[in-house]
Amino acid sequence: QVQLQESGPGLVKPSETLSLTCTVSGGSISSYFWTWIRQPPGKGLEWIGYISYRGSPNYNPSLKSRVTISVDTSKNQFSLKLNSVTAADTAVYYCARDLRSSAGTHWFDPWGQGTLVTVSS
Amino acid sequence: DIQMTQSPSSLSASVGDRVTITCRASQTMSSYLNWYQQKPGKAPKLLIYVASSLQSGVPSRFSGSGSGTDFTLTINSLQPEDFATYYCQQSYSAPYTFGQGTKLEIK
């Protein structure tokens, strides 16, 4: 079955760029949408954005000016970049498959295990 | 943005109990509602999609209902492994928002 695994630095300095990669195994990244979600310690879930396998992104307006999500079908990976980070960006970052029905409904499954990124000098 | 409000925020129950968690949306959204379960230190897991469809592999004691603005997640005959935090999530319009979570604890 499809599995996702996040990777990237666990510590980023303020004002720098957070970069994470999600590697998809057990299936092709093609024909699906892929999403990033984050969860600050002890808090709820925030959708960051998604990208289609064709490379068309959609971002949360609250982060849009700082976020870039891209896909590399040759490596079966998609990536997240968040620039100008502050302590408020400290969170566990999850990648997930964004499954879409023909009726337009969609849901997130499966999820990666998550990776904690701390923003600190 | 569509605001999702869950109630209660926390809930104490015993093994064998039946519990219901409610999720209310700030605007109507048909059945574009999903439910997830999250255990400490783990990623959320999909339980219910499109308001009432049970994800493959999820026990049948979990069920979802509702449409429009009001939705419920019901767990029949609570098992020890069900004590976790539950989130609703709307997929009607971006940005896709989650409820604040309901923490289900053992009484």
Side-chain angles (χ1 to χ4, degrees):
Chain A
Q1 71 279 18
V2 172
Q3 293 183 307
L4 290 79
Q5 178 69 57
E6 304 89 351
S7 59
L11 181 65
V12 180
K13 290 182 168 56
S15 80
E16 295 190 345
T17 297
L18 178 160
S19 296
L20 296 174
T21 296
C22 183
T23 301
V24 179
S25 60
S28 173
I29 203 168
S30 298
S31 304
Y32 292 105
F33 287 64
W34 304 91
T35 201
W36 287 96
I37 294 156
R38 70 179 183 178
Q39 185 173 37
K43 296 189 178 181
L45 298 158
E46 179 181 32
W47 174 74
I48 298 170
Y50 71 67
I51 193 161
S52 73
Y53 71 99
R54 295 181 186 273
S56 301
N58 188 343
Y59 303 132
N60 190 323
S62 69
L63 299 168
K64 189 173 184 177
S65 63
R66 299 193 292 130
V67 171
T68 302
I69 298 175
S70 58
V71 64
D72 187 337
T73 54
S74 67
K75 294 182 178 179
N76 236 33
Q77 295 175 334
F78 63 105
S79 299
L80 168 71
K81 291 189 187 297
L82 181 66
N83 59 37
S84 304
V85 297
T86 69
D89 295 310
T90 294
V92 175
Y93 286 76
Y94 296 101
C95 59
R97 184 174 60 178
D98 186 337
L99 277 170
R100 304 203 165 212
S101 74
S102 56
T105 54
H106 63 108
W107 50 92
F108 306 138
D109 181 72
W111 297 51
Q113 65 183 29
T115 187
L116 174 63
V117 179
T118 301
V119 178
S120 175
S121 56
Chain B
D1 299 5
I2 298 177
Q3 306 303 316
M4 307 301 295
T5 304
Q6 288 181 231
S7 60
S9 295
S10 63
L11 175 59
S12 293
S14 302
V15 173
D17 284 354
R18 178 176 184 263
V19 300
T20 298
I21 298 169
T22 297
C23 181
R24 175 163 287 176
S26 61
Q27 68 181 72
T28 188
M29 51 181 219
S30 186
S31 297
Y32 288 60
L33 192 284
N34 308 312
W35 289 97
Y36 301 86
Q37 175 194 65
Q38 186 178 34
K39 296 183 179 179
K42 300 294 187 181
K45 170 190 168 185
L46 178 69
L47 297 176
I48 303 284
Y49 60 97
V50 196
S52 60
S53 294
L54 189 68
Q55 171 67 350
S56 176
V58 174
S60 59
R61 61 181 180 273
F62 291 91
S63 64
S65 64
S67 67
T69 60
D70 294 317
F71 303 86
T72 59
L73 173 69
T74 299
I75 313 172
N76 287 302
S77 188
L78 271 173
Q79 298 300 300
E81 61 268 28
D82 299 337
F83 292 94
T85 299
Y86 293 85
Y87 293 94
C88 62
Q89 175 249 327
Q90 64 85 12
S91 62
Y92 184 74
S93 66
Y96 306 114
T97 46
F98 293 82
Q100 81 279 14
T102 295
K103 187 173 183 180
L104 177 55
E105 300 174 303
I106 301 175
K107 183 182 287 185

Coordinates of all heavy atoms in Angstrom, one line a residue, chain B residues 1-85:
Chain B
D1 N -13.1 31.9 5.0 CA -12.8 30.5 5.4 C -14.0 29.9 6.1 O -14.7 30.6 6.8 CB -11.6 30.5 6.3 CG -10.3 31.0 5.7 OD1 -10.4 31.5 4.6 OD2 -9.3 30.9 6.4
I2 N -14.2 28.6 5.9 CA -15.2 27.9 6.7 C -14.7 27.5 8.1 O -13.6 26.9 8.2 CB -15.7 26.6 6.0 CG1 -16.3 27.0 4.6 CG2 -16.7 25.9 6.8 CD1 -16.7 25.8 3.8
Q3 N -15.4 28.0 9.1 CA -14.9 27.7 10.5 C -15.6 26.4 10.9 O -16.8 26.2 10.8 CB -15.3 28.8 11.4 CG -14.8 30.2 11.0 CD -13.3 30.2 10.8 OE1 -12.5 29.6 11.7 NE2 -12.8 30.8 9.8
M4 N -14.9 25.5 11.5 CA -15.4 24.2 12.0 C -15.3 24.2 13.5 O -14.2 24.4 14.1 CB -14.6 23.0 11.4 CG -14.5 23.1 9.9 SD -16.0 23.0 9.1 CE -16.6 21.4 9.5
T5 N -16.4 24.0 14.2 CA -16.5 24.0 15.6 C -16.9 22.6 16.1 O -18.0 22.1 15.8 CB -17.4 25.0 16.1 OG1 -17.1 26.3 15.6 CG2 -17.4 25.1 17.7
Q6 N -16.1 22.0 16.9 CA -16.4 20.7 17.5 C -16.9 20.8 18.9 O -16.4 21.7 19.7 CB -15.2 19.8 17.5 CG -14.8 19.3 16.1 CD -13.5 18.4 16.2 OE1 -12.6 18.6 15.4 NE2 -13.6 17.3 17.0
S7 N -17.8 19.9 19.3 CA -18.2 19.9 20.7 C -18.4 18.4 21.1 O -18.9 17.6 20.3 CB -19.4 20.7 21.0 OG -20.5 20.3 20.2
P8 N -18.0 18.1 22.3 CA -17.3 18.9 23.3 C -15.8 19.0 22.9 O -15.4 18.2 22.0 CB -17.5 18.2 24.6 CG -17.6 16.7 24.2 CD -18.3 16.7 22.9
S9 N -15.0 19.8 23.6 CA -13.6 19.8 23.3 C -12.9 18.6 24.0 O -11.8 18.2 23.6 CB -13.0 21.1 23.9 OG -13.5 22.2 23.1
S10 N -13.5 18.1 25.1 CA -13.0 16.9 25.7 C -14.2 16.2 26.3 O -15.2 16.7 26.5 CB -12.0 17.3 26.8 OG -12.6 18.0 27.9
L11 N -13.9 14.9 26.5 CA -15.0 14.0 26.8 C -14.4 12.8 27.6 O -13.4 12.2 27.2 CB -15.6 13.5 25.6 CG -16.7 12.4 25.6 CD1 -17.9 12.9 26.4 CD2 -17.2 12.1 24.2
S12 N -15.0 12.5 28.7 CA -14.6 11.3 29.5 C -15.6 10.2 29.4 O -16.8 10.5 29.5 CB -14.4 11.6 31.0 OG -13.3 12.5 31.2
A13 N -15.2 9.0 29.1 CA -16.1 7.9 28.9 C -15.5 6.6 29.3 O -14.2 6.5 29.5 CB -16.6 7.8 27.4
S14 N -16.3 5.6 29.4 CA -15.8 4.3 29.9 C -15.8 3.3 28.7 O -16.6 3.5 27.8 CB -16.7 3.7 31.0 OG -16.6 4.6 32.1
V15 N -15.0 2.3 28.8 CA -15.1 1.2 27.9 C -16.5 0.6 27.8 O -17.1 0.4 28.8 CB -14.1 0.1 28.2 CG1 -14.2 -1.1 27.3 CG2 -12.6 0.6 28.1
G16 N -17.0 0.5 26.6 CA -18.3 0.0 26.4 C -19.4 1.0 26.2 O -20.5 0.8 25.7
D17 N -19.0 2.3 26.5 CA -20.0 3.4 26.3 C -20.2 3.7 24.8 O -19.4 3.4 24.0 CB -19.4 4.7 27.0 CG -19.6 4.6 28.5 OD1 -20.2 3.7 29.0 OD2 -19.1 5.6 29.1
R18 N -21.2 4.4 24.5 CA -21.5 5.0 23.2 C -21.3 6.5 23.3 O -21.8 7.2 24.3 CB -22.9 4.7 22.8 CG -23.3 5.3 21.5 CD -24.8 4.8 21.1 NE -25.2 5.2 19.8 CZ -26.0 6.3 19.6 NH1 -26.4 7.1 20.6 NH2 -26.4 6.6 18.4
V19 N -20.5 7.1 22.4 CA -20.2 8.5 22.5 C -20.5 9.2 21.2 O -20.4 8.5 20.1 CB -18.7 8.8 22.9 CG1 -18.4 8.2 24.3 CG2 -17.7 8.3 21.9
T20 N -20.8 10.4 21.2 CA -21.1 11.2 20.0 C -20.4 12.5 20.1 O -20.4 13.2 21.1 CB -22.6 11.5 19.9 OG1 -23.3 10.2 19.8 CG2 -22.9 12.4 18.7
I21 N -19.7 12.8 19.0 CA -19.0 14.1 18.8 C -19.6 14.9 17.7 O -20.0 14.3 16.7 CB -17.5 13.8 18.5 CG1 -16.8 13.0 19.7 CG2 -16.7 15.1 18.2 CD1 -15.4 12.5 19.3
T22 N -19.8 16.1 18.0 CA -20.5 17.0 17.0 C -19.5 18.0 16.3 O -18.6 18.5 17.0 CB -21.6 17.8 17.7 OG1 -22.6 16.8 18.2 CG2 -22.3 18.7 16.7
C23 N -19.8 18.2 15.1 CA -19.0 19.2 14.3 C -20.0 20.1 13.6 O -20.9 19.6 12.9 CB -18.1 18.5 13.3 SG -17.0 19.5 12.3
R24 N -19.8 21.4 13.7 CA -20.7 22.4 13.1 C -19.9 23.3 12.2 O -18.8 23.8 12.6 CB -21.4 23.2 14.1 CG -22.3 24.3 13.5 CD -23.3 24.8 14.5 NE -24.4 23.8 14.7 CZ -25.4 24.0 15.6 NH1 -25.4 25.0 16.4 NH2 -26.3 23.1 15.7
A25 N -20.3 23.5 11.0 CA -19.6 24.3 10.0 C -20.3 25.7 10.0 O -21.5 25.9 10.2 CB -19.7 23.7 8.6
S26 N -19.5 26.7 9.7 CA -20.0 28.1 9.6 C -20.8 28.4 8.4 O -21.4 29.5 8.3 CB -18.8 29.1 9.7 OG -17.9 28.9 8.6
Q27 N -20.8 27.5 7.4 CA -21.7 27.6 6.3 C -22.0 26.3 5.7 O -21.3 25.3 6.0 CB -21.0 28.5 5.2 CG -19.8 27.9 4.5 CD -19.2 28.8 3.5 OE1 -18.6 29.8 3.8 NE2 -19.4 28.4 2.2
T28 N -23.1 26.2 5.0 CA -23.5 24.9 4.5 C -22.5 24.3 3.5 O -21.9 25.0 2.7 CB -24.9 25.0 3.8 OG1 -25.3 23.6 3.5 CG2 -24.9 25.8 2.6
M29 N -22.3 23.0 3.6 CA -21.3 22.4 2.8 C -21.6 20.9 2.4 O -20.7 20.1 2.3 CB -19.9 22.4 3.5 CG -19.9 21.9 4.9 SD -18.3 22.0 5.6 CE -18.3 20.4 6.5
S30 N -22.9 20.7 2.1 CA -23.4 19.4 1.7 C -22.8 18.3 2.6 O -22.9 18.4 3.8 CB -22.9 19.2 0.2 OG -23.5 18.0 -0.3
S31 N -22.1 17.3 2.0 CA -21.5 16.2 2.8 C -20.0 16.2 2.8 O -19.4 15.2 2.9 CB -22.1 14.9 2.3 OG -23.4 14.8 2.5
Y32 N -19.4 17.4 2.5 CA -17.9 17.5 2.3 C -17.2 17.5 3.7 O -16.5 18.5 4.0 CB -17.6 18.7 1.5 CG -17.9 18.6 0.1 CD1 -19.2 18.4 -0.4 CD2 -17.0 18.8 -0.9 CE1 -19.6 18.4 -1.7 CE2 -17.2 18.7 -2.3 CZ -18.6 18.5 -2.7 OH -18.9 18.5 -4.0
L33 N -17.4 16.4 4.5 CA -16.9 16.4 5.8 C -16.2 15.1 6.1 O -16.8 14.0 5.8 CB -18.1 16.6 6.8 CG -17.8 16.9 8.3 CD1 -17.4 15.7 9.1 CD2 -16.8 18.0 8.5
N34 N -15.0 15.2 6.7 CA -14.2 14.0 7.0 C -13.9 14.0 8.5 O -13.8 15.0 9.1 CB -12.9 13.9 6.2 CG -13.2 14.1 4.7 OD1 -14.1 13.5 4.1 ND2 -12.5 15.1 4.1
W35 N -13.7 12.8 9.0 CA -13.3 12.6 10.4 C -11.9 11.8 10.5 O -11.7 10.9 9.8 CB -14.3 11.8 11.2 CG -15.6 12.5 11.4 CD1 -16.8 12.4 10.7 CD2 -15.9 13.4 12.5 NE1 -17.8 13.2 11.2 CE2 -17.3 13.8 12.3 CE3 -15.2 13.9 13.6 CZ2 -17.9 14.7 13.2 CZ3 -15.8 14.8 14.4 CH2 -17.1 15.2 14.3
Y36 N -11.1 12.3 11.4 CA -9.8 11.7 11.6 C -9.6 11.4 13.1 O -10.1 12.1 14.0 CB -8.6 12.6 11.2 CG -8.7 13.0 9.7 CD1 -9.5 14.1 9.3 CD2 -8.1 12.2 8.7 CE1 -9.6 14.4 8.0 CE2 -8.1 12.6 7.4 CZ -8.9 13.7 7.0 OH -9.0 14.0 5.7
Q37 N -8.8 10.3 13.4 CA -8.4 10.0 14.7 C -6.9 10.2 14.9 O -6.2 9.8 14.0 CB -8.8 8.5 15.0 CG -8.3 8.0 16.4 CD -8.4 6.4 16.4 OE1 -7.6 5.8 15.7 NE2 -9.3 5.9 17.2
Q38 N -6.5 10.8 16.0 CA -5.1 11.0 16.2 C -4.7 10.5 17.6 O -5.3 11.0 18.6 CB -4.7 12.4 16.0 CG -3.1 12.6 16.1 CD -2.7 14.1 15.9 OE1 -3.4 15.0 16.2 NE2 -1.5 14.2 15.3
K39 N -3.7 9.6 17.7 CA -3.2 9.2 18.9 C -1.9 9.9 19.2 O -1.3 10.4 18.3 CB -3.0 7.7 18.9 CG -4.3 6.9 18.8 CD -4.2 5.4 18.8 CE -5.5 4.8 18.7 NZ -5.5 3.3 18.7
P40 N -1.5 10.1 20.5 CA -0.3 10.9 20.9 C 0.9 10.4 20.1 O 1.2 9.2 20.0 CB -0.2 10.6 22.4 CG -1.6 10.3 22.8 CD -2.2 9.6 21.7
G41 N 1.6 11.4 19.5 CA 2.8 11.1 18.8 C 2.6 10.5 17.4 O 3.6 10.1 16.8
K42 N 1.4 10.3 17.0 CA 1.1 9.7 15.7 C 0.4 10.6 14.7 O -0.1 11.7 15.1 CB 0.2 8.5 15.9 CG 0.8 7.4 16.8 CD 2.1 6.8 16.2 CE 2.5 5.6 17.0 NZ 3.8 5.0 16.5
A43 N 0.5 10.3 13.5 CA -0.2 11.1 12.5 C -1.7 10.8 12.5 O -2.1 9.7 13.0 CB 0.3 10.7 11.1
P44 N -2.6 11.7 12.2 CA -4.0 11.5 12.1 C -4.3 10.3 11.1 O -3.5 10.1 10.1 CB -4.6 12.8 11.5 CG -3.6 13.8 12.0 CD -2.2 13.1 11.9
K45 N -5.4 9.6 11.4 CA -5.8 8.5 10.6 C -7.2 8.7 10.1 O -8.1 9.1 10.9 CB -5.7 7.2 11.4 CG -6.3 6.0 10.8 CD -6.4 4.8 11.8 CE -7.3 3.7 11.3 NZ -7.4 2.6 12.4
L46 N -7.5 8.5 8.8 CA -8.8 8.8 8.3 C -9.8 7.7 8.8 O -9.5 6.5 8.7 CB -8.8 8.7 6.8 CG -10.2 8.9 6.1 CD1 -10.7 10.3 6.2 CD2 -10.0 8.5 4.6
L47 N -10.9 8.1 9.4 CA -12.0 7.2 9.8 C -13.2 7.2 8.9 O -13.7 6.2 8.5 CB -12.5 7.6 11.2 CG -11.5 7.6 12.4 CD1 -12.2 8.1 13.6 CD2 -11.0 6.2 12.6
I48 N -13.7 8.4 8.6 CA -14.9 8.6 7.9 C -14.7 9.7 6.8 O -14.1 10.7 7.1 CB -16.1 9.1 8.8 CG1 -16.3 8.1 10.0 CG2 -17.4 9.4 8.0 CD1 -17.1 6.9 9.6
Y49 N -15.2 9.4 5.6 CA -15.1 10.4 4.5 C -16.5 10.7 3.9 O -17.4 9.8 4.0 CB -14.1 10.1 3.5 CG -14.3 8.8 2.8 CD1 -15.0 8.7 1.5 CD2 -13.9 7.5 3.3 CE1 -15.2 7.5 0.9 CE2 -14.2 6.4 2.7 CZ -14.8 6.4 1.4 OH -15.0 5.2 0.8
V50 N -16.7 11.8 3.4 CA -18.0 12.2 2.8 C -19.1 12.0 3.8 O -20.1 11.4 3.5 CB -18.3 11.5 1.5 CG1 -19.4 12.2 0.7 CG2 -17.0 11.5 0.6
A51 N -18.8 12.4 5.1 CA -19.8 12.5 6.2 C -20.1 11.1 6.8 O -20.3 11.0 8.0 CB -21.1 13.2 5.8
S52 N -20.3 10.1 5.9 CA -20.8 8.8 6.5 C -20.1 7.6 5.9 O -20.6 6.5 6.2 CB -22.3 8.7 6.2 OG -22.6 8.8 4.8
S53 N -19.1 7.7 5.0 CA -18.5 6.5 4.4 C -17.4 6.1 5.3 O -16.4 6.9 5.6 CB -18.0 6.9 3.0 OG -19.1 7.1 2.1
L54 N -17.4 4.8 5.7 CA -16.4 4.2 6.6 C -15.2 3.9 5.8 O -15.2 3.1 4.8 CB -17.0 3.0 7.3 CG -16.2 2.4 8.4 CD1 -16.1 3.3 9.6 CD2 -16.8 1.1 8.8
Q55 N -14.0 4.4 6.2 CA -12.8 4.0 5.5 C -12.5 2.5 5.7 O -12.7 2.0 6.8 CB -11.6 4.9 6.1 CG -10.2 4.5 5.6 CD -10.0 4.7 4.2 OE1 -10.9 5.0 3.4 NE2 -8.7 4.6 3.8
S56 N -11.9 1.9 4.7 CA -11.6 0.5 4.7 C -10.7 0.2 5.9 O -9.7 1.0 6.2 CB -10.9 0.1 3.4 OG -10.4 -1.2 3.5
G57 N -11.0 -0.8 6.6 CA -10.2 -1.3 7.8 C -10.6 -0.6 9.1 O -10.1 -1.0 10.2
V58 N -11.5 0.3 9.1 CA -11.9 1.0 10.3 C -13.1 0.2 10.9 O -14.0 -0.2 10.1 CB -12.4 2.4 10.0 CG1 -13.0 3.1 11.3 CG2 -11.2 3.3 9.5
P59 N -13.1 -0.1 12.2 CA -14.1 -0.9 12.8 C -15.5 -0.3 12.6 O -15.7 0.9 12.6 CB -13.8 -0.9 14.3 CG -12.3 -0.7 14.3 CD -12.0 0.2 13.1
S60 N -16.5 -1.2 12.5 CA -17.9 -0.7 12.2 C -18.5 0.0 13.4 O -19.6 0.5 13.2 CB -18.7 -1.9 11.7 OG -18.7 -2.9 12.7
R61 N -17.9 0.0 14.5 CA -18.4 0.7 15.7 C -18.4 2.2 15.4 O -19.0 3.0 16.2 CB -17.8 0.4 17.0 CG -16.3 0.6 17.1 CD -15.7 0.2 18.4 NE -14.3 0.4 18.5 CZ -13.4 -0.4 18.1 NH1 -13.7 -1.6 17.6 NH2 -12.1 -0.1 18.2
F62 N -17.6 2.7 14.5 CA -17.5 4.1 14.1 C -18.5 4.4 13.0 O -18.6 3.6 12.0 CB -16.1 4.4 13.6 CG -15.0 4.4 14.6 CD1 -14.3 3.2 14.8 CD2 -14.7 5.5 15.3 CE1 -13.3 3.2 15.8 CE2 -13.7 5.5 16.3 CZ -13.0 4.3 16.5
S63 N -19.2 5.5 13.2 CA -20.2 5.9 12.1 C -20.3 7.4 12.1 O -20.0 8.1 13.1 CB -21.5 5.2 12.3 OG -22.1 5.7 13.5
G64 N -20.6 7.9 10.9 CA -20.8 9.3 10.8 C -22.1 9.7 10.1 O -22.6 8.9 9.4
S65 N -22.6 10.8 10.4 CA -23.8 11.3 9.8 C -23.8 12.8 9.7 O -23.0 13.5 10.3 CB -25.0 10.8 10.6 OG -25.0 11.4 11.9
G66 N -24.8 13.3 9.0 CA -25.0 14.7 8.9 C -24.9 15.2 7.4 O -24.3 14.6 6.6
S67 N -25.3 16.4 7.2 CA -25.1 17.2 6.0 C -25.5 18.6 6.2 O -26.1 18.9 7.2 CB -26.0 16.6 4.9 OG -27.3 16.8 5.1
G68 N -25.0 19.5 5.3 CA -25.3 20.9 5.5 C -24.3 21.5 6.4 O -23.1 21.8 6.0
T69 N -24.7 21.8 7.7 CA -23.8 22.4 8.6 C -23.5 21.6 9.9 O -22.6 21.9 10.6 CB -24.3 23.8 9.1 OG1 -25.6 23.6 9.7 CG2 -24.5 24.8 7.9
D70 N -24.3 20.5 10.1 CA -24.2 19.8 11.3 C -23.9 18.3 11.1 O -24.6 17.6 10.3 CB -25.5 19.9 12.1 CG -25.7 21.3 12.6 OD1 -24.8 21.9 13.1 OD2 -26.9 21.8 12.5
F71 N -22.8 17.8 11.7 CA -22.3 16.5 11.5 C -22.0 15.8 12.8 O -21.7 16.5 13.8 CB -21.0 16.5 10.7 CG -21.2 17.2 9.3 CD1 -21.1 18.6 9.2 CD2 -21.5 16.5 8.2 CE1 -21.3 19.2 8.0 CE2 -21.7 17.1 7.0 CZ -21.6 18.5 6.9
T72 N -22.1 14.5 12.9 CA -21.8 13.8 14.1 C -20.9 12.6 13.8 O -21.0 11.9 12.7 CB -23.0 13.3 14.8 OG1 -23.8 12.5 14.0 CG2 -23.8 14.5 15.3
L73 N -20.0 12.3 14.7 CA -19.2 11.0 14.7 C -19.7 10.3 16.0 O -19.7 10.8 17.1 CB -17.7 11.3 14.8 CG -16.8 10.1 15.0 CD1 -16.8 9.2 13.8 CD2 -15.4 10.5 15.4
T74 N -20.1 9.0 15.7 CA -20.6 8.2 16.8 C -19.7 7.0 17.0 O -19.3 6.4 15.9 CB -22.0 7.7 16.6 OG1 -22.9 8.9 16.6 CG2 -22.5 6.8 17.7
I75 N -19.3 6.7 18.2 CA -18.5 5.4 18.4 C -19.4 4.6 19.4 O -19.7 5.0 20.5 CB -17.2 5.7 19.1 CG1 -16.4 6.9 18.4 CG2 -16.3 4.5 19.1 CD1 -15.2 7.4 19.1
N76 N -19.7 3.4 18.9 CA -20.5 2.5 19.7 C -19.6 1.5 20.4 O -18.5 1.1 19.9 CB -21.5 1.7 18.8 CG -22.6 2.5 18.4 OD1 -23.4 3.0 19.1 ND2 -22.8 2.6 17.0
S77 N -19.9 1.2 21.7 CA -19.1 0.2 22.5 C -17.6 0.6 22.4 O -16.8 -0.1 21.8 CB -19.4 -1.2 21.9 OG -18.8 -2.1 22.8
L78 N -17.3 1.7 23.1 CA -15.9 2.1 23.1 C -14.9 1.0 23.5 O -15.2 0.3 24.5 CB -15.8 3.3 24.1 CG -16.0 4.7 23.6 CD1 -16.0 5.7 24.8 CD2 -15.0 5.1 22.6
Q79 N -13.8 1.0 22.8 CA -12.7 0.1 23.1 C -11.5 0.8 23.6 O -11.4 2.0 23.4 CB -12.4 -0.7 21.9 CG -13.5 -1.6 21.3 CD -14.0 -2.6 22.4 OE1 -13.2 -3.5 22.8 NE2 -15.2 -2.5 22.7
P80 N -10.6 0.2 24.4 CA -9.5 0.9 24.9 C -8.7 1.7 23.9 O -8.2 2.8 24.1 CB -8.7 -0.2 25.6 CG -9.7 -1.3 25.9 CD -10.7 -1.2 24.8
E81 N -8.6 1.1 22.7 CA -7.8 1.7 21.6 C -8.5 3.0 21.0 O -7.9 3.6 20.2 CB -7.4 0.7 20.5 CG -8.6 0.1 19.8 CD -9.1 -1.2 20.5 OE1 -8.9 -1.4 21.7 OE2 -9.7 -2.0 19.7
D82 N -9.7 3.3 21.4 CA -10.4 4.4 20.8 C -10.1 5.7 21.5 O -10.5 6.8 21.1 CB -11.9 4.1 20.9 CG -12.3 2.9 20.0 OD1 -11.6 2.5 19.1 OD2 -13.4 2.4 20.3
F83 N -9.4 5.6 22.7 CA -9.2 6.9 23.4 C -8.1 7.6 22.7 O -6.9 7.2 22.6 CB -8.8 6.5 24.9 CG -10.0 6.0 25.6 CD1 -10.3 4.6 25.7 CD2 -11.0 6.8 26.1 CE1 -11.4 4.1 26.3 CE2 -12.1 6.3 26.8 CZ -12.3 5.0 26.8
A84 N -8.5 8.8 22.2 CA -7.6 9.5 21.2 C -8.3 10.9 21.0 O -9.3 11.2 21.7 CB -7.5 8.8 19.9
T85 N -7.7 11.7 20.1 CA -8.3 13.0 19.8 C -8.9 12.8 18.4 O -8.3 12.2 17.5 CB -7.2 14.1 19.8 OG1 -6.7 14.2 21.1 CG2 -7.9 15.4 19.4

